[in-house]
Amino acid sequence: MNAAVRLPGRFSRHALLIATAAAVPLTGWAAHALTLHKRLAATCKDPLTGLLRRDAYTAHARRLLTRHGDKMTVLMVDADHFKQINDSLGHAAGDAVLAAFGARLTAWAGPRAAVGRLGGDEFAVVLGLAPARRAQRLEQLVRMLHTPVVLDDGRTVDVAASVGAAAPDVLGTRDLTALQRAADAALYAGKHSGRAVVATAARATTPSINGRRVGRPGTAVWGRAA
């Protein structure tokens, strides 16, 4: 039995040619749309770590806070002694450390979180974190970020990170700027301590520039107080 599909007789060869010609531009537009989508995704993501760039992260983070509010937690993360790694082992090693941090933050936070690289060795995360599990999960993250990084040439780099967290249910606000400011202040309160620090309500009043603690490296050139 011939399994080939036969077209009804009323479809002439001329009609089939017209239909095929009409389909070609649609296929071309689909390919063009896919290319544009890939280019847009590339502009939203940091090429080294694969994390969201600042603007894309901020937009996603604000959506999460608006929709889920008190269920969310905001984290600020700094790689410790990063300049020393760059100076002693080279920038390729530094890049490998940043890429490893990006992968670890992504794995820890999960696919629904907003995970961004704000610049240099500074990262931010907004994710759902139940208050009852917050301390345990933050301890887990600190352990992950203190695990040595193995370079492509087999060398091992000892790494560490400082972590500050802020939660809407503690601070009484869903404003991303206020939460990042408080998390940033908590980070510096526990800098190099080997533990994550959760911000108290008092840290919400820390002076800031564009949502970052005044005096933090780089804030002087950002210009406008948050």
Side-chain angles (χ1 to χ4, degrees):
M1 178 179 178
N2 189 351
V5 177
R6 288 186 174 276
L7 293 170
R10 64 176 178 273
F11 287 97
S12 66
R13 181 173 298 180
H14 178 66
L16 288 175
L17 287 173
I18 293 175
T20 302
V24 170
L26 293 177
T27 303
W29 275 111
H32 180 62
L34 180 60
T35 300
L36 289 177
H37 177 74
K38 289 180 178 179
R39 288 179 180 175
L40 179 62
T43 63
C44 291
K45 291 191 174 182
D46 171 54
L48 177 60
T49 63
L51 302 181
L52 296 175
R53 294 179 187 266
R54 180 187 297 275
D55 289 347
Y57 154 78
T58 299
H60 186 22
R62 285 179 171 155
R63 285 195 300 269
L64 289 174
L65 287 166
T66 298
R67 293 173 184 174
H68 305 292
D70 290 351
K71 298 179 181 179
M72 309 308 291
T73 298
V74 175
L75 271 66
M76 303 297 290
V77 178
D78 273 3
D80 291 340
H81 311 299
F82 182 70
K83 184 178 184 302
Q84 181 179 335
I85 292 173
N86 265 339
D87 291 346
S88 61
L89 299 176
H91 289 283
D95 287 350
V97 169
L98 294 176
F101 272 28
R104 293 172 186 183
L105 286 169
T106 299
W108 177 81
R112 297 182 181 180
V115 187
R117 181 185 178 198
L118 301 186
D121 59 351
E122 302 170 7
F123 305 88
V125 183
V126 176
L127 78 163
L129 209 56
R133 298 189 59 213
R134 188 173 292 145
Q136 178 186 1
R137 291 276 281 134
L138 291 175
E139 289 175 5
Q140 178 190 46
L141 175 62
V142 171
R143 287 196 300 271
M144 291 175 69
L145 296 178
H146 281 69
T147 301
V149 173
V150 179
L151 305 180
D152 289 340
D153 60 9
R155 290 180 296 170
T156 299
V157 183
D158 290 328
V159 294
S162 297
V163 179
D169 63 308
V170 175
L171 299 185
T173 179
R174 297 183 181 186
D175 180 68
L176 178 63
T177 297
L179 291 165
Q180 286 189 165
R181 177 172 58 225
D184 200 43
L187 180 156
Y188 269 83
K191 191 72 173 171
H192 306 306
S193 68
R195 60 186 180 86
V197 177
V198 179
T200 62
R203 299 201 186 279
T205 60
T206 302
S208 70
I209 295 177
N210 286 359
R212 312 305 298 282
R213 178 185 60 85
V214 170
R216 170 186 262 275
T219 56
V221 299
W222 291 355
R224 183 176 58 82

